[in-house]
Amino acid sequence: MLHDLLQHRRAVRYFDTERQLDSERVRRRLEEAALAPTSSNMQLWECYHITDPELIARLAPACFDQSAVRTASQLVAFAITPQRWRAHAEAVLAFQREDLPRHFPEDKWPKYLALQENYYGKLIPLLYRRGWGLWGQLRRALFSLVGLVRPVPRETTEAAMRTVLHKSCALVVQSFLLGMSEEGYDTCPLEGYDSRRVARLLGLECGSELTMLIACGYRSTERPEGGRFRLPFAQQYHRIGS
Ligand SMILES: Cc1cc2nc3c(=O)[nH]c(=O)nc-3n(C[C@H](O)[C@H](O)[C@H](O)COP(=O)(O)O)c2cc1C
């Protein structure tokens, strides 16, 4: 039950160093996490599943020696890949060209295909093209102008587009965290690290940018987590409507 998984998942800072995870089961949970939704289905993310204890030991100092990393059985680094936008847009479009005829009546194909071609062939390049921040500034100016007379996307600078990708990647991460809970495994999401050092140790491609590291293992019974703090939900819940 989702309810139980949400209760079980904690940010675990001390793992049982005597118990190792099954790498294949972790890999399967990562594969399932890829079913998470991503903006425009662009899937501009990747993950590095680190099972080598030596590499984990080398990563620990770059993660400020956090106990979750020092005691982890495995680590997973999630990153966004904004540099691959063109290839992914082409892949989605190629899929749509094959898939449309399977699901829609023939007389609708040209119209639906034209919509997809327009979306992935024109709008996505307009939003995702990058170059030293200049494209983003141009986009913002263009959309601000058009926005005077009609609704437009506002988050269009290159920095804002990276936020778009981190949002999607975070959904993949959360799916993975819950999948790991279902497996009976524990995790700790981390952003406390020196991203440049971690990227170098992992050999991240130029353009890729870390979203989060996930330390994985079995929670230690000797160093249990404390209580769980959440703000009163009423502070965060706003109902609009009856
Ligand atoms: C994006 C993100 C970054 C985090 N970074 C760290 C971190 O560097 N070190 C750490 O011990 N916990 C980290 N956490 C875990 C949070 O502190 C933890 O989720 C929060 O205190 C709530 O506890 P719970 O997850 O057990 O409910 C991070 C969580 C998120 C979502």
Side-chain angles (χ1 to χ4, degrees):
M1 290 276 284
L2 180 60
H3 170 83
D4 300 320
L5 299 178
L6 290 167
Q7 297 293 338
H8 171 266
R9 188 214 59 76
R10 293 297 312 273
V12 170
R13 275 53 179 252
Y14 290 91
F15 296 103
D16 184 341
T17 51
E18 302 297 311
R19 299 177 72 194
Q20 298 305 312
L21 304 187
D22 179 332
S23 302
E24 202 39 46
R25 286 163 74 178
V26 176
R27 198 199 68 79
R28 269 205 302 275
R29 292 301 178 168
L30 286 166
E31 195 169 356
E32 281 174 5
L35 292 174
T38 58
S39 184
S40 299
N41 202 14
M42 285 289 278
Q43 303 170 60
L44 289 165
W45 65 273
E46 63 183 352
C47 62
Y48 296 76
H49 179 187
I50 303 143
T51 56
D52 173 8
E54 267 181 38
L55 182 55
I56 295 175
R58 284 169 63 209
L59 282 161
C63 300
F64 312 130
D65 269 323
Q66 292 198 60
S67 55
V69 177
R70 276 192 286 105
T71 60
S73 163
Q74 304 191 0
L75 287 178
V76 180
F78 285 89
I80 58 165
T81 57
Q83 72 279 16
R84 298 187 196 159
W85 70 266
R86 201 184 297 273
H88 288 211
E90 280 166 12
V92 179
L93 198 49
F95 171 81
Q96 295 292 356
R97 285 193 193 110
E98 281 197 8
D99 193 60
L100 278 175
R102 283 200 283 266
H103 299 287
F104 296 98
E106 203 169 340
D107 59 320
K108 303 271 191 237
W109 295 351
K111 184 180 160 210
Y112 289 168
L113 195 56
L115 281 173
Q116 296 293 330
E117 301 269 2
N118 201 40
Y119 192 83
Y120 287 101
K122 293 197 180 122
L123 184 65
I124 289 290
L126 178 64
L127 287 171
Y128 280 74
R129 186 165 283 128
R130 313 152 65 232
W132 298 286
L134 294 176
W135 276 106
Q137 293 306 327
L138 262 175
R139 269 196 299 269
R140 189 162 68 163
L142 175 72
F143 281 114
S144 296
L145 211 60
V146 180
L148 294 173
V149 290
R150 52 176 267 205
V152 289
R154 299 284 174 176
E155 290 71 33
T156 55
T157 62
E158 289 174 34
M161 289 309 291
R162 279 164 44 228
T163 306
V164 167
L165 302 194
H166 283 300
K167 265 193 251 181
S168 291
C169 188
L171 292 179
V172 179
V173 172
Q174 174 70 354
S175 304
F176 173 61
L177 298 185
L178 294 177
M180 289 288 276
S181 272
E182 193 173 61
E183 201 66 58
Y185 292 167
D186 292 299
T187 52
C188 183
L190 301 148
E191 61 185 355
Y193 48 75
D194 177 330
S195 56
R196 201 172 291 178
R197 283 187 163 79
V198 172
R200 205 179 302 134
L201 282 164
L202 296 180
L204 238 64
E205 190 180 306
C206 179
S208 293
E209 185 176 299
L210 288 168
T211 299
M212 244 179 277
L213 290 189
I214 309 298
C216 310
Y218 284 103
R219 64 185 72 184
S220 160
T221 46
E222 281 160 28
R223 296 291 297 265
E225 293 310 308
R228 205 172 202 189
F229 170 69
R230 289 297 185 271
L231 292 164
F233 182 58
Q235 277 182 25
Q236 290 160 321
Y237 176 72
H238 310 281
R239 184 184 296 207
I240 301 174
S242 53

